[in-house]
Amino acid sequence: MSELVPGGNLALPGGAVTVRVPGPFDVSALITDDSGRVGGDGDFVFYNQPAAPGAVLRRDTLTVDPSRLRAGATRVTVAVSPAEPGTPLGRLPSPTLHVTDAAGRPLTRFTPPRPREETVLLLAEFYRRGDRWKLRALGQGYADGLAGVARDFGVDIADDPSASESGALDNGVRRAALAPTTGQAGASAARHRAATEPAHRGAHSPGPPRPPAFAPSAPDPDGFVALVNSARAAAGSPPTTLDARLESAAREHAAAMATTGRLGVESRDGVSVFQRVSNAGYAFLTVGEHLVSGPRTPAEFVAYCLRTDAPRRTLLHPVFTHTGLAHVHDGPSGDTYWTALWARPFTPDGLAGTAAAVTDLTNRERARAGLPPLAVDPLLTAAAQAHSADMVARAFYSHTGPDGSRPWDRAAAAGSARRSIGENIACGQRSPADVVEGWMDSPGHRANILKPDFTHIGIGFAGGGRAGTYWTQLFGA
């Protein structure tokens, strides 16, 4: 069974799929079309309204049958909130989403980054691509309960005089003439989050990682790289080099999986495979992984990866330049656990190219909407880069930094005098195309990208941390 990270997705088999979130939580779901809006109050499935066409809720378990959804439905978003209303999710165990097929066979599971003050998380979404359905891991947080989520998805909720009038979704937007809204968490976007964390006032913010001083190669006694490069050559991709640091990280992760007898991006010790790569001294611009049990030799491992679409795309992807492979035959199950890592090293030119690609894709979306392009602002870029690097360095993913600062605070600290600031963040996406697509799939983040008032943009990116990649868009007007 695989485990998803924020932004990860899984192609679903035909028929009904069940998601379960055990623990002190309430599960709910919103059925929407491509606009991200419900067709009516009947598209909101929760404890007081536990069924809709194609979606049935029984206690902590939601069953979704895409073929039975109402006409026009293309997405089902799964949310979780504390069973005791108003309790911050940070006081409870992290919710874990367990996904099974119609026969009860496990498909995947997802545990989002640990929430803090949020009282609702959007955990995952079923979505249609062509004639297939997929599941995407989210991790989007709200601090004003299901009413805030419902309003953002277009459910008509009677106003609560005690609630904030500004709504639930905080995409990190504030006009300088207004006082900042309080009592709300920013909305994380599905693989993304409209969040903020400052470059600390008067403090040194972590900069981008330095490029590796050398790229230690590793011997290839089992012929793994020869097998890989033969397949890559046939696909028209450049060869990869076996890297000793990636080998070391792969060996540690394979051993950790074998010890507990389970596959996972994050092992029971709380360390993700991406953190192991960083700890081994490899600063990356992009990274991929294969976590597999069963094959007995590198040749069988490569053959397995080439048989299946998603693993084959990773093994053959032209962006990767280095690889590392390790396997451990140990643990309670006696199985062989494999970890293969694929990466491209961080360089200043690579970072600049990544940021330029995100800006270009963002401006293409604005052009489609008839809006002028955003100009790159060096001050917003510096603030965005500091934020992405800080999320990696201090192991958080939030709209608000550990010191309580917000996007406009960070922009001001970088020297920006712009009167309107907005921010989107994301983690786990492996490319500029993936991250912009995810932002555009989220109504709140799309609103930032297509906001007519914004004139400038800065992009930040850092590799490492629990999710592997952390992205920041900072907008200004």
Side-chain angles (χ1 to χ4, degrees), residues 5-169:
V5 297
N9 60 70
L10 175 75
L12 296 174
V17 175
T18 294
V19 296
R20 176 174 175 263
V21 186
F25 306 107
D26 285 331
V27 177
S28 54
L30 297 111
I31 302 166
T32 61
D33 56 20
D34 285 335
S35 72
R37 309 285 284 181
V38 299
D41 290 357
D43 283 345
F44 187 17
V45 178
F46 66 118
Y47 47 85
N48 280 340
Q49 185 172 275
V56 177
L57 176 65
R58 293 185 178 89
R59 295 188 177 88
D60 61 0
T61 301
L62 175 75
T63 300
V64 176
D65 187 343
S67 67
R68 297 179 178 274
L69 294 172
R70 66 165 174 81
T74 59
R75 190 173 305 174
V76 178
T77 304
V78 181
V80 65
S81 55
E84 184 66 31
T87 302
L89 285 164
R91 297 181 186 175
L92 302 175
S94 293
T96 295
L97 185 79
H98 298 262
V99 186
T100 55
D101 65 13
R105 291 183 292 261
L107 295 175
T108 190
R109 61 184 170 192
F110 168 59
T111 302
R114 187 169 183 82
R116 295 185 178 181
E117 72 274 19
E118 293 94 333
T119 55
V120 176
L121 283 181
L122 304 188
L123 275 184
E125 64 179 358
F126 296 84
Y127 66 101
R128 190 174 67 195
R129 280 288 181 269
D131 60 352
R132 296 293 305 276
W133 281 81
K134 304 179 79 173
L135 179 79
R136 178 160 48 214
L138 304 182
Q140 178 173 345
Y142 290 76
D144 59 347
L146 288 176
V149 177
R151 288 190 188 98
D152 191 47
F153 280 75
V155 179
D156 186 15
I157 298 292
D159 288 337
D160 179 351
S162 66
S164 166
E165 295 179 356
S166 60
L169 184 63

Side-chain angles (χ1 to χ4, degrees), residues 453-473:
D453 293 348
F454 286 144
T455 57
H456 289 77
I457 192 172
I459 303 298
F461 168 84
R466 179 180 178 187
T469 57
Y470 291 78
W471 308 77
T472 301
Q473 278 184 319

Side-chain angles (χ1 to χ4, degrees), residues 3 8 14 26 31 46 157 169 233 236-237 245 258 264 266 296 331 333 336 357 377 390 408 425 446:
E3 293 204 17
D26 285 331
I31 302 166
F46 66 118
I157 298 292
L169 184 63
S237 297
R245 296 162 298 180
E266 185 173 297
R296 294 165 295 179
S333 67
T336 301
D377 182 320
D390 198 24
W408 36 91
I425 69 170
R446 183 172 63 245

Side-chain angles (χ1 to χ4, degrees), residues 372-456:
L374 302 171
V376 175
D377 182 320
L379 297 178
L380 295 180
T381 298
Q385 183 60 37
H387 183 47
S388 288
D390 198 24
M391 286 191 287
V392 171
R394 295 204 283 175
F396 74 97
Y397 177 63
S398 175
H399 302 268
T400 303
D403 63 356
S405 53
R406 305 298 295 272
W408 36 91
D409 302 320
R410 180 168 60 259
S416 175
R418 300 198 178 276
R419 292 179 55 82
S420 182
I421 294 293
E423 184 179 74
N424 290 341
I425 69 170
C427 66
Q429 298 73 19
R430 307 305 171 86
S431 71
D434 286 346
V435 75
V436 174
E437 177 190 355
W439 277 324
M440 289 299 294
D441 280 347
S442 167
H445 303 82
R446 183 172 63 245
N448 268 352
I449 289 174
L450 301 182
K451 187 176 177 66
D453 293 348
F454 286 144
T455 57
H456 289 77

